[in-house]
């Protein structure tokens, strides 16, 4: 029984998690670079059509997803920053202790971590999150988003897929 515990511990990412932390850093850097380009190149609120269903539109979101609480008086900036920092800390630990063979889980955690930190950076230094990707069809517009949001969404999708791939069989 001691052998199983020792071997299980050896199968954790441990220091090998640096690869996934590096991926999260790449997500943060790409996100910040794209937000910098958008902020420097786009006029606030003025759509630049790319395709019939896709615009680049610079927007500032002081709330959360879908501009939730964006009209609050300012406390939401710090609330969402604290929530994201707590979640990011948990993701750092989870990546460290995750089983080494579960690359899809590690990928999802790294994408979510990078996206969360990209948006935290904006909240801390700008007071809002820079959004610039606008998808629409007819008169329906999806709320503007950014690469960090895309990474979080892709990470959540990978995590959902991983939950099906690594579903434990019941002993019934």
């Amino acid at each position: 029984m001691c052998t199983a515990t020792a071997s299980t511990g050896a199968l954790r990412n441990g220091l090998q998690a640096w690869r996934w932390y590096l991926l999260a850093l790449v997500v943060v850097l790409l996100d910040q670079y794209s937000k910098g380009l958008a902020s420097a190149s786009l006029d606030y609120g003025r759509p630049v059509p790319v395709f019939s269903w896709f615009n680049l539109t610079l927007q500032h979101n002081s709330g959360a997803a879908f501009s939730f609480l964006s009209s609050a008086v300012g406390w939401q900036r710090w609330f969402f920053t604290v929530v994201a920092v707590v979640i990011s800390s948990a993701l750092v630990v989870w990546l460290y202790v995750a089983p080494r063979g579960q690359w899809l889980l590690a990928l999802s955690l790294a994408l979510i971590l990078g996206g969360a930190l990209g948006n935290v950076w904006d909240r801390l230094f700008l007071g809002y999150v820079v959004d610039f990707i606008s998808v629409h069809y007819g008169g329906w517009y999806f709320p503007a988003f950014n690469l960090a949001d895309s990474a979080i969404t892709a990470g959540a999708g990978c995590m959902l897929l991983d939950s099906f791939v690594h579903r434990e069989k019941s002993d019934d």
Side-chain angles (χ1 to χ4, degrees):
M1 188 155 229
C2 272
T3 307
T5 305
S7 68
T8 302
L11 295 176
R12 302 292 179 198
N13 273 333
L15 295 178
Q16 295 298 315
W18 70 267
R19 297 174 185 140
W20 301 111
Y21 299 140
L22 182 61
L23 175 59
L25 177 62
V26 168
V27 168
V28 171
L29 294 175
L30 287 173
D31 174 64
Q32 290 301 304
Y33 179 72
S34 66
K35 289 173 180 174
L37 282 177
S39 295
S41 305
L42 300 171
D43 293 328
Y44 186 84
R46 180 173 291 160
V48 175
V50 178
F51 300 110
S52 62
W53 51 271
F54 178 79
N55 295 340
L56 296 176
T57 308
L58 181 62
Q59 295 182 356
H60 299 158
N61 181 1
S62 59
F66 308 112
S67 297
F68 176 66
L69 292 177
S70 62
S71 60
V73 293
W75 61 267
Q76 75 277 19
R77 170 186 182 186
W78 303 110
F79 174 75
F80 292 131
T81 299
V82 168
V83 168
V85 167
V86 168
I87 290 171
S88 296
S89 300
L91 291 171
V92 167
V93 172
W94 194 354
L95 269 169
Y96 188 84
V97 300
R100 215 177 265 181
Q102 291 188 6
W103 66 269
L104 190 56
L105 175 64
L107 174 64
S108 68
L109 297 173
L111 290 173
I112 294 168
L113 176 62
L117 292 175
N119 284 339
V120 162
W121 183 272
D122 283 9
R123 285 189 200 290
L124 285 174
F125 294 100
L126 302 174
Y128 53 82
V129 174
V130 175
D131 291 327
F132 61 92
I133 301 170
S134 177
V135 177
H136 56 90
Y137 179 76
W140 180 82
Y141 282 78
F142 191 78
F145 57 98
N146 56 47
L147 292 184
D149 298 333
S150 299
I152 292 168
T153 302
C158 288
M159 187 177 284
L160 184 62
L161 180 60
D162 180 74
S163 73
F164 289 114
V165 170
H166 289 101
R167 179 177 284 174
E168 297 294 328
K169 295 183 181 184
S170 64
D171 296 330
D172 295 329

